[in-house]
Amino acid sequence: MTYTTETSGQLDICAATADLTTLRQKLLDLFCQGAYQEGDFVLSSGQSSSYYINGKQVTLHPQGALAIGRILLSLLPLDTQAVAGLTLGADPIVSAVSVVSAYENRPIPGLIIRKEAKGHGTRAYIEGPNLPTGTKVIVLEDVVTTGKSAMKAVERLRDAGYTVDMVISLVDRLQGGTEFYQSVGLKFQSVFTITDIQQRYQELGN
């Protein structure tokens, strides 16, 4: 998908004002048009795949980010005190949710988890506001395959004294992530499964 200013105005209005059911459908279409590709790929997990989902084509799209922020905010438990995710895939998602939360008068800070400790200054793994011990944090992810990537964020947050019991992903590839999270006592929810995306991809005539 090529981003054009001609289409941005209409989608801006939709993402800002549409009901969540309509917004979810628009976001699904955006994933099908911009993020989903078929071919031969090797995933970050090392697995081979006949398709690839480049989530950043949607999470860094202005309307996509707004839609993601609204939808994910609606899925957060009411006692959520912060959202977090592993860099780089989760960075725009965490930011979108945090910004939208301020507009919804439900301000939720965001935290970014480094894959390696910062090599200077504080040498921190976690970037963002300093929050009290025990703060309830929900981990956000763009695409879940085995579940191991988001688990790194969970472990870093717990090591820092935060409470983490849930992961929410935009897409679940249905390749073991759900079962993995269940095995370690984490709740898991996704906005879409790969089945949703592939079915809609075919409906759109791709």
Side-chain angles (χ1 to χ4, degrees), residues 53-206:
I53 301 171
N54 183 359
K56 298 174 196 64
Q57 293 293 324
V58 177
T59 62
L60 291 169
H61 186 287
Q63 292 77 249
L66 180 53
I68 286 165
R70 288 188 60 201
I71 290 170
L72 290 185
L73 183 65
S74 74
L75 297 179
L76 296 179
L78 292 178
D79 60 349
T80 301
Q81 296 173 297
V83 290
L86 189 70
T87 195
L88 176 71
D91 294 5
I93 304 172
V94 169
S95 296
V97 173
S98 186
V99 169
V100 169
S101 75
Y103 277 97
E104 296 291 332
N105 199 30
R106 184 190 170 188
I108 297 174
L111 303 171
I112 299 298
I113 317 302
R114 293 176 177 271
K115 293 180 181 177
E116 302 292 340
K118 185 163 63 173
H120 60 280
T122 60
R123 301 185 182 276
Y125 273 104
I126 301 175
E127 297 292 350
N130 292 319
L131 304 174
T133 299
T135 293
K136 182 172 180 178
V137 183
I138 303 298
V139 168
L140 306 179
E141 179 70 288
D142 56 353
V143 180
V144 162
T145 304
T146 65
K148 301 296 177 63
S149 292
M151 192 64 198
K152 294 177 183 177
V154 172
E155 292 169 348
R156 293 294 178 197
L157 290 162
R158 287 176 171 173
D159 288 345
Y162 299 125
T163 299
V164 186
D165 66 1
M166 186 175 189
V167 174
I168 301 178
S169 178
L170 294 176
V171 181
D172 180 5
R173 290 177 56 105
L174 301 177
Q175 290 183 262
T178 298
E179 294 77 11
F180 170 73
Y181 291 132
Q182 288 176 345
S183 73
V184 295
L186 285 168
K187 290 175 283 189
F188 175 64
Q189 186 172 359
S190 67
V191 178
F192 306 114
T193 67
I194 185 57
T195 303
D196 297 326
I197 291 175
Q198 290 177 331
Q199 287 180 348
R200 183 58 177 163
Y201 185 79
Q202 295 300 321
E203 290 171 2
L204 291 172
N206 295 296

